[in-house]
Amino acid sequence: MLYFIRISLCSVLLFFAPVGRTWNSLTDDLDLTCNQSNNTTLNCNYRPLTQISIQKISAASGQESLSIKDETTYPDINTTVAVLFVVDTSDPARQIVIEKNINHIEKLLSAGKPYHKFGLASFDKDLRIVAPIGSPPSQIISAAHSLRATGKTTELYRNVSKAVAAVAATTANRKAIIVFSDGQAEDRAYFHQDVIRAAHQANVIINSLGYPRTITLSVALQTIRRFSEESGGIYVEADNNFNLPDTFLLDPFSNIDRGGEFTVDLAPVLGAGAAASSEITLTLESASGKFNINVPVTNRTSTKPAETVPQQPQPIRIVAPVQEPQKIDVWLWYGIPVAFLILIVLTLIILAVTYQQLRTPKSNAGKTGTTVYKPYAYLVVQDESGIRYPITNTTWRIGRTRDNELPLNDKSVSRRHAEIQRYSNGKFVIFDVDSLNGVFVNSEQVKKKKLEEGDIIEIGDIYLRFTTRPADFPVEEDTVLQNTRTPLTH
């Protein structure tokens, strides 16, 4: 039995542009975009978000049926689909993921059809188009093999928005981007809504492929999952070895290639003498149900004046102002001074408590409720200060700026100099994050090296000793054999 889904104007994503009057409806089952170019034509593009097939399309204005013209189903001989691969290359520790991304791009290209036009971009701080949309697969594969994790800031929201704009500038029936990322974002001025707004306005689908580096960091994948959910795309997550499901790789563009286009004749609705605006109902039927969607249309040449309601003369009323001098005077003369006095007393109390706390020595020994944590390891400065820096995160960044876990205010240290990763097996690995003066471990320059107990790390002019032992760890000394027994006498 058919079920009916009525989508009102308040339950859809609705926006108008000054030119073209574009309207969009996105639900859990259907993505519909219509564009009214004039008073006689409404061009619509529909895409089911589930495995359903639209079998019949009709339109009506009230009780009057409207004709459907130029109906096509994707893909046909005139279909063009623009797809831009967008790869996150921001973290040097993700180079192994980049290699998997390259392999997956090759598989996606091999699954493409002649009407698919592909391109490739990478991003960290900025977006780089390394192969424009429409490039041959061989050129895209060659460009993919040149991708390297650079270790710069990850501006995810800004660069995905730029990728959407790059695809929007192409000529195609369908437009999509496929984001390869772990969901990490360091934007400060760009946000999720900026990406979704750009995707809706350009009618660009965002498919996202999530590559979780660790279980702890996998929560960031929600960022790109939402890109897909709110743009009508799909989200696919790789396993712990960064492999994508075979079911996706065999047919990766199925959600992009569904649906079709049609045109509605608006002449009966927006003819001579029609109102400035109206509404038509589109009905899309499948084997399992029927979708009824209301679409607003506008008479672009309407000069019909709006009906006016005759105004009845209103009697003149003289209203005397209500005076409450006593209530106002009491508040002004008594309430404000009392409130001001209370504020002064509270300020003095806070100052006194703060002064007393500053004079009282602080000690956490023997106190209950004190937060105690056990660092994973330590970095000990190799000078007379012997300062110990606890490593408390699985990702521990070292650099000159204050946004690092270990900021070192020294001109020989780069803004983001090195990074220490603690793996699930308890091992520590240090990475050179594209620093100017390099990273040295036991006087040997390294790009990536596993750390051992007692290793000396050189960050610019600063020497640090790596240790997993606390400051009070007892150092065992060699036992010396002493002559403790009286020699025998003969």
Side-chain angles (χ1 to χ4, degrees), residues 349-370:
I349 293 173
I350 293 172
L351 290 175
V353 172
T354 303
Y355 178 74
Q356 185 64 28
Q357 289 178 343
L358 291 175
R359 292 188 58 190
T360 304
K362 296 182 179 180
S363 175
N364 291 329
K367 292 184 179 181
T368 60
T370 303

Side-chain angles (χ1 to χ4, degrees), residues 388-416:
R388 297 171 64 88
Y389 296 104
I391 299 175
T392 56
N393 293 344
T394 54
T395 299
W396 191 258
R397 297 174 296 179
I398 305 172
R400 195 171 71 249
T401 56
R402 300 177 65 180
D403 60 343
N404 293 281
E405 280 72 22
L406 175 52
L408 299 174
N409 187 17
D410 191 285
K411 292 183 178 180
S412 65
V413 179
S414 297
R415 292 171 61 84
R416 188 172 174 187

Side-chain angles (χ1 to χ4, degrees), residues 62-76:
Q63 300 299 320
E64 183 178 6
S65 296
L66 304 176
S67 62
I68 301 295
K69 303 182 296 183
D70 304 326
E71 185 176 348
T72 60
T73 302
Y74 283 168
D76 64 7

Side-chain angles (χ1 to χ4, degrees), residues 212-485:
R213 192 171 65 189
T214 64
I215 295 177
T216 304
L217 298 178
S218 63
V219 67
L221 294 172
Q222 295 177 3
T223 302
I224 57 175
R225 182 193 291 271
R226 284 189 62 197
F227 287 168
S228 298
E229 290 176 347
E230 297 182 25
S231 69
I234 59 172
Y235 168 77
V236 180
E237 186 171 319
D239 61 20
N240 293 334
N241 296 318
F242 312 119
N243 294 314
L244 294 174
D246 291 336
T247 52
F248 167 74
L249 293 173
L250 290 174
D251 192 11
F253 311 111
S254 61
N255 76 305
I256 301 174
D257 293 344
R258 300 188 191 119
E261 296 178 340
F262 62 91
T263 300
V264 182
D265 182 10
L266 297 178
V269 181
L270 303 179
S277 63
S278 185
E279 185 178 86
I280 68 171
T281 300
L282 298 178
T283 302
L284 289 79
E285 300 181 34
S286 70
S288 57
K290 181 185 296 185
F291 301 90
N292 293 325
I293 305 173
N294 295 332
V295 180
V297 292
T298 305
N299 190 338
R300 303 184 66 182
T301 59
S302 175
T303 57
K304 184 178 180 180
E307 296 183 359
T308 59
V309 178
Q311 299 293 326
Q312 299 293 331
Q314 297 293 328
I316 298 175
R317 294 185 300 165
I318 300 176
V319 181
V322 178
Q323 298 182 358
E324 296 182 3
Q326 184 176 1
K327 182 177 180 180
I328 296 176
D329 290 344
V330 169
W331 168 248
L332 289 176
W333 291 104
Y334 296 99
I336 293 179
V338 170
F340 187 67
L341 181 61
I342 293 174
L343 181 62
I344 293 176
V345 172
L346 290 176
T347 303
L348 293 175
I349 293 173
I350 293 172
L351 290 175
V353 172
T354 303
Y355 178 74
Q356 185 64 28
Q357 289 178 343
L358 291 175
R359 292 188 58 190
T360 304
K362 296 182 179 180
S363 175
N364 291 329
K367 292 184 179 181
T368 60
T370 303
T371 302
V372 179
Y373 62 88
K374 177 176 172 48
Y376 295 121
Y378 304 86
L379 293 179
V380 184
V381 179
Q382 297 302 99
D383 60 13
E384 62 277 3
S385 68
I387 298 174
R388 297 171 64 88
Y389 296 104
I391 299 175
T392 56
N393 293 344
T394 54
T395 299
W396 191 258
R397 297 174 296 179
I398 305 172
R400 195 171 71 249
T401 56
R402 300 177 65 180
D403 60 343
N404 293 281
E405 280 72 22
L406 175 52
L408 299 174
N409 187 17
D410 191 285
K411 292 183 178 180
S412 65
V413 179
S414 297
R415 292 171 61 84
R416 188 172 174 187
H417 199 109
E419 182 176 296
I420 295 177
Q421 293 281 338
R422 181 185 183 272
Y423 294 145
S424 57
N425 60 5
K427 302 299 182 182
F428 293 83
V429 176
I430 189 169
F431 298 88
D432 182 352
V433 189
D434 200 20
S435 64
L436 180 62
N437 292 320
V439 174
F440 293 79
V441 177
N442 299 329
S443 301
E444 176 186 355
Q445 186 169 5
V446 298
K447 288 293 184 181
K448 171 183 176 182
K449 183 174 177 58
K450 175 183 172 183
L451 292 176
E452 303 290 350
E453 177 68 32
D455 280 349
I456 301 299
I457 304 170
E458 299 177 39
I459 305 294
D461 294 334
I462 298 177
Y463 290 74
L464 304 166
R465 177 169 57 85
F466 173 80
T467 180
T468 58
R469 300 170 178 173
D472 57 354
F473 183 81
V475 180
E476 294 186 359
E477 298 181 353
D478 295 336
T479 303
V480 179
L481 180 63
Q482 300 289 341
N483 188 9
T484 59
R485 298 180 61 183

